[in-house]
Amino acid sequence: MISDVINTNWYEVGIVACRALISLGVLFLITKIIGKKQVSELSLFDYVISISIGNFAAEISMNIDVQLMNGIIAVLIFGFIAMVISILTMKSILLRRIVIGSPTILIENGKFVYKNLKRVKIDINDFLESARIKGYFDISNIKYALMEANGQISFLPKEEYVPATPKDLNLKPSKQGLCANVIIDGKFMPKNLEKIKKDEDWLRKQLKVKGYKSYEEILLATVDIDEKLCIFNKRDINTIENVLE
């Protein structure tokens, strides 16, 4: 192994490194153009496109016999096709059904649709696992189950098992909204504070009341819609780590 390192062609290594950086840049650009999606949200078409683009990027990075521009053009073409298909499927329901697919009913009115289970090739154990992940340990509580185009399974419980809402109980729900992260890992976030129409003086006063002298000792600080400041300090994290050890 030492001889392999000594005899390494460092010029070739440099070329591979440059090509890898260029490939990464092109991939990042294509991803921004196509749009953000979680792996679990990818349709079959998106998945095939992603794998193909990844293979192209790996090939032009490692295989220096392949012209760099050929690989980049291939990546750009696949990215362009993905973008065009994405736009067209938003305009055409028929094309969306052909390319992306449509939901498949697996349980209807509390009963399994066996032919659909076979069609989507899902094992009953896999179905039960998906149900447990969504919080359904008793299948008899489910009225409808649909496999979405991306392979995820959605569940609709029977009426008697639907959780009661404040409206059902004639209760006035409390206001809800997004929390602003004003301190993250000891660093002050001025833009987030501006969005809730507060300034750093207000934050420092609030921290002083709660016994904090600096940002460094705070892991996370949030402000909710009612202007309530919630602080998670680093001391709490250390305490948890000591208990686990």
Side-chain angles (χ1 to χ4, degrees):
M1 291 183 66
I2 296 176
S3 61
D4 291 339
V5 174
I6 295 174
N7 297 325
T8 298
N9 186 337
W10 292 106
Y11 174 74
E12 187 174 303
V13 171
I15 293 176
V16 170
C18 291
R19 291 167 71 105
L21 290 174
I22 294 172
S23 301
L24 181 61
V26 173
L27 276 177
F28 180 75
L29 176 63
I30 293 298
T31 303
K32 293 286 284 186
I33 293 173
I34 295 174
K36 299 177 182 178
K37 277 190 177 181
Q38 300 280 344
V39 173
S40 60
E41 296 174 350
L42 293 178
S43 66
L44 183 60
F45 177 79
D46 294 328
Y47 183 69
V48 170
I49 288 288
S50 300
I51 289 179
S52 300
I53 290 176
N55 285 337
F56 289 145
E59 183 70 14
I60 61 179
S61 297
M62 298 298 296
N63 190 350
I64 61 176
D65 294 328
V66 175
Q67 288 190 28
L68 179 62
M69 189 52 63
N70 291 350
I72 291 176
I73 289 174
V75 171
L76 291 175
I77 289 174
F78 268 64
F80 178 75
I81 292 172
M83 183 180 67
V84 170
I85 292 296
S86 178
I87 294 172
L88 292 177
T89 52
M90 286 191 292
K91 298 179 180 293
S92 171
I93 295 177
L94 178 61
L95 185 61
R96 178 176 178 82
R97 288 176 178 172
I98 294 173
V99 177
I100 307 299
S102 57
T104 303
I105 298 176
L106 303 180
I107 290 182
E108 185 175 14
N109 289 320
K111 296 181 180 179
F112 279 102
V113 183
Y114 184 65
K115 63 178 182 180
N116 287 350
L117 287 172
K118 291 179 64 177
R119 184 159 67 88
V120 298
K121 297 178 176 61
I122 182 172
D123 181 78
I124 188 64
N125 291 309
D126 294 332
F127 178 87
L128 293 174
E129 180 182 354
S130 297
R132 289 193 296 270
I133 290 173
K134 295 293 181 66
Y136 294 98
F137 286 79
D138 188 348
I139 299 300
S140 64
N141 295 353
I142 300 172
K143 186 173 183 179
Y144 281 94
L146 290 86
M147 175 173 279
E148 307 293 352
N150 62 7
Q152 296 291 307
I153 301 178
S154 302
F155 297 92
L156 177 67
K158 293 179 179 177
E159 289 80 358
E160 59 267 32
Y161 298 110
V162 176
T165 64
K167 184 178 180 181
D168 296 330
L169 301 174
N170 293 320
L171 298 176
K172 183 179 179 181
S174 58
K175 292 189 298 181
Q176 290 186 330
L178 297 176
C179 289
N181 300 322
V182 294
I183 298 175
I184 299 177
D185 199 12
K187 295 180 178 62
F188 169 57
M189 302 285 124
K191 290 185 178 179
N192 291 349
L193 203 56
E194 287 176 13
K195 289 180 181 178
I196 59 172
K197 297 179 173 59
K198 297 295 179 183
D199 55 24
E200 190 172 5
D201 289 336
W202 175 86
L203 180 60
R204 287 188 179 277
K205 288 177 183 178
Q206 296 295 319
L207 293 176
K208 187 175 181 181
V209 170
K210 293 181 178 290
Y212 293 92
K213 297 180 180 179
S214 66
Y215 300 146
E216 285 73 20
E217 54 188 318
I218 298 173
L219 179 68
L220 175 66
T222 64
V223 179
D224 64 15
I225 194 172
D226 295 318
E227 299 183 0
K228 178 183 176 183
L229 180 65
C230 185
I231 299 174
F232 303 88
N233 61 57
K234 295 180 180 179
R235 292 194 302 272
D236 294 337
I237 301 298
N238 292 333
T239 302
I240 293 173
E241 288 177 349
N242 292 335
V243 171
L244 292 176
E245 289 175 356

